[in-house]
Amino acid sequence: FDVLIGGYIEHRNGDKTAVCATGDLMCSTAISSSYVMKSGAHYAEFLITGGPYIGIVRPMPGLDADSYPDVFDFFDDRFYPDFLAQRTDDWGNSDVHACEYFCDDGGMRWTDWHDNRFDDEWEGRESCQSGDTFGMLLNLEEGTLTVYKNNRRLGVMMDGLSGPYCWYVSLYKSQTVTGTVSIKRGALPDFDGATRT
């Protein structure tokens, strides 16, 4: 995670593959902006503590992270004009500019940065708990985002995707748990649940 946005998140012990929340009930975001996914299939695994939001977002290299020193997430409509100002032609036809999974309840939401849309009944909806490994497979040939929990396929969370995306997580700290996430590249899962090596 090379970009941290918002004042309530930091790298854990200096490790850029792991982030933790620092503010009580204040949301901030970490982006893996140096890894832009433009074509093909990409799989990442996230080891979670707490109830983070994990997803994909359009790359926005001109977005100044220092301009957002307080709470931040990609679904805050105050920031939509800033995000849309970063639009490039390579974003393509898809209106899905950010899409995220809620670990707490397994829900999903996405946005075109005009409106937010929620889908609480997507195929395979299931929550995650601290200690779970959550996987996301972005397949830009098929235009799908498929999710996995502890190496078990839950289902396709979003389709109709095109153009470039980056991984991101949004975290907050509650009274009982500090949200943390680490990311690692994983082997592409096969459709039958086995993993290609």
Side-chain angles (χ1 to χ4, degrees), residues 44-193:
E45 291 181 333
F46 304 84
L47 180 60
I48 67 164
T49 301
Y53 304 88
I54 302 172
I56 55 172
V57 66
R58 296 294 190 187
M60 294 180 281
L63 194 68
D64 181 12
D66 293 334
S67 296
Y68 309 94
D70 201 24
V71 296
F72 179 90
D73 74 67
F74 290 115
F75 293 84
D76 187 330
D77 60 4
R78 295 176 299 164
F79 306 140
Y80 288 177
D82 298 351
F83 303 154
L84 288 171
Q86 299 294 314
R87 185 181 181 100
T88 62
D89 290 340
D90 67 342
W91 283 15
N93 303 1
S94 177
D95 287 336
V96 180
H97 299 324
C99 178
E100 69 183 16
Y101 169 88
F102 309 135
C103 288
D104 276 345
D105 67 4
M108 179 271 290
R109 69 179 170 173
W110 66 276
T111 183
D112 59 5
W113 290 326
H114 295 287
D115 297 304
N116 292 334
R117 296 179 178 104
F118 295 84
D119 187 355
D120 288 331
E121 299 306 322
W122 63 273
E123 164 201 355
R125 178 183 175 187
E126 188 175 311
S127 65
C128 287
Q129 302 174 33
S130 291
D132 283 339
T133 298
F134 178 76
M136 279 193 163
L137 172 62
L138 176 62
N139 186 330
L140 289 167
E141 304 307 316
E142 296 179 4
T144 58
L145 183 62
T146 305
V147 297
Y148 296 79
K149 176 182 170 183
N150 299 325
N151 296 317
R152 182 174 49 87
R153 183 182 187 274
L154 297 182
V156 174
M157 187 173 79
M158 178 57 70
D159 59 15
L161 302 172
S162 66
Y165 292 97
C166 300
W167 302 118
Y168 81 90
V169 299
S170 290
L171 298 173
Y172 64 92
K173 179 179 173 182
S174 71
Q175 293 178 1
T176 58
V177 67
T178 298
T180 63
V181 173
S182 62
I183 185 174
K184 72 176 184 174
R185 188 178 303 179
L188 293 174
D190 285 328
F191 290 107
D192 65 357

